[in-house]
Structure formats: structure tokens, C-alpha cells
Amino acid sequence: MANQTSIFEAYKKGLDSCDADPEDIVILCHDDLEMLSSKAEFIAALSICIDKKTGVVGAAGTTYLGRDAVWWNQERWAEGKHRGMVNHREPKVHSTQYGPHGPVVALDGLFLAARKEVWDHICLDKPSYFEGNWDFYDIHYTSRSHLLGYRNYAVPVELIHDSSGELVGRDSWHKNREAFIKNTPLPLTC
């Protein structure tokens, strides 16, 4: 989805236009990914989506989203609360190992997969309290999935992300984070 005014708009428009059945798995991801998993590994990793209790699956996330609403919080990482793995291309290809794959409350937005009926239940519209158009969508979508009673998972999907995703310096990231904290019952844990 090119030339959109927000990631929320792009994902909503993409979901609405893909003509998917409720049971179909729909992937929302960044455009700077390269899949490394074989077709069989990819299908096996996403097969967890077939379970009606499964919400969103992705490459990396956390079992504990604290009051700071930062999924990659270094203290939680040291405590073993993070799950999954992501390869990054910048500055050279390297792997970030967050922890073993498994259940999480929130996921990194570089790769998110769920059945269409789950995306519809979560609602991909931008929350009215968010000012920024490009930030905190992943934490919003995946924590909402958790709060709706679904189980999210970090699954073994091997990929390379061309950027390290470090956008926390943007004012819009901070504003959306503050709004999220005010409108979400934190902490969340699984």
C-alpha cells in the first residue's frame, strides 16, 4: 500500500481490499523485509493462526508490557520476558535474539499475521486519541488482541529487516505512546 497518509489507513485499506474470507490469514508487514524461512517452515510457523483462540503472531514480542508501554524494555529483556528473533541488515546483517518463541502480549510491527476475523475484531482504524499516523500501531493492535481474549505468539518466522526500526526519536512516537498509556490498562502480562 503505497502513498498512504498513515499506516492505520494503509492496513485498513489493504485488509478491506484483499477480499479475504474470515478464516484466511492476512499478513501486515513492513515493505523492507526479506523472508528467509522456507515455504514449509513459514506455513508451519503460521499454522498456529488456525486456532480460534490465537490472535496475532509475529517474529518478536514480550510477555510483559509495563507502564512505559515499550515492548523492548531492556530490564524486561534481562528478566527473560521477551520472545522471538529478528535479523537486521543495518549496519551489517546481525541477529537480535530476544528469547524463546511463545506466547506474548505485544509484538513488534515489522511482521504481524492473523486471521481476517481477528483483524476485523481488533479494528485497524487509528484510535482517535493518537496524534501520529505512523507510530505505536503494533503495540495498539497486539495489546488490543490480548485484551479481547486472544493469545498472541512470537513464532519462528525467519526474516531480515532492512532497518533497525529505531524511530523513538520522533515526536509522534512519544505522543502516541503517552496517549496509549493513558488509554490502556497497563501492565499487561501473559
Side-chain angles (χ1 to χ4, degrees), residues 70-166:
V70 176
W71 86 259
W72 64 89
N73 177 296
Q74 296 294 311
E75 290 176 35
R76 302 295 90 76
W77 196 349
E79 294 169 357
K81 304 282 188 194
H82 297 345
R83 301 283 178 261
M85 187 266 299
V86 176
N87 295 304
H88 302 279
R89 200 175 303 277
E90 293 178 5
K92 63 180 181 173
V93 175
H94 64 283
S95 177
T96 304
Q97 301 282 339
Y98 293 103
H101 295 96
V104 295
V105 294
L107 289 153
D108 186 296
L110 74 148
F111 178 93
L112 301 171
R115 292 182 326 280
K116 182 181 184 296
E117 64 189 348
V118 172
W119 289 127
D120 288 339
H121 194 198
I122 291 169
C123 183
L124 299 182
D125 292 326
K126 180 178 136 182
S128 60
Y129 52 81
F130 275 2
E131 288 184 40
N133 290 327
W134 301 98
D135 303 298
F136 246 77
Y137 67 93
D138 49 357
I139 306 301
H140 170 71
Y141 291 158
T142 58
S143 65
R144 182 154 167 72
S145 170
H146 173 77
L147 290 168
L148 288 168
Y150 294 110
R151 288 185 295 222
N152 301 327
Y153 293 92
V155 296
V157 174
E158 192 169 350
L159 47 80
I160 292 179
H161 189 208
D162 279 344
S163 71
S164 56
E166 296 171 4

Side-chain angles (χ1 to χ4, degrees), residues 27 35 37-47 111 113 156-158:
I27 299 167
M35 295 305 296
S37 296
S38 70
K39 182 178 179 180
E41 292 167 333
F42 186 74
I43 291 170
L46 294 190
S47 68
F111 178 93
V157 174
E158 192 169 350

Side-chain angles (χ1 to χ4, degrees), residues 7-25:
I7 198 158
F8 299 96
E9 176 188 336
Y11 283 166
K12 175 95 168 90
K13 192 179 285 185
L15 183 68
D16 291 347
S17 68
C18 74
D19 195 32
D21 290 329
E23 297 293 318
D24 289 344
I25 297 170

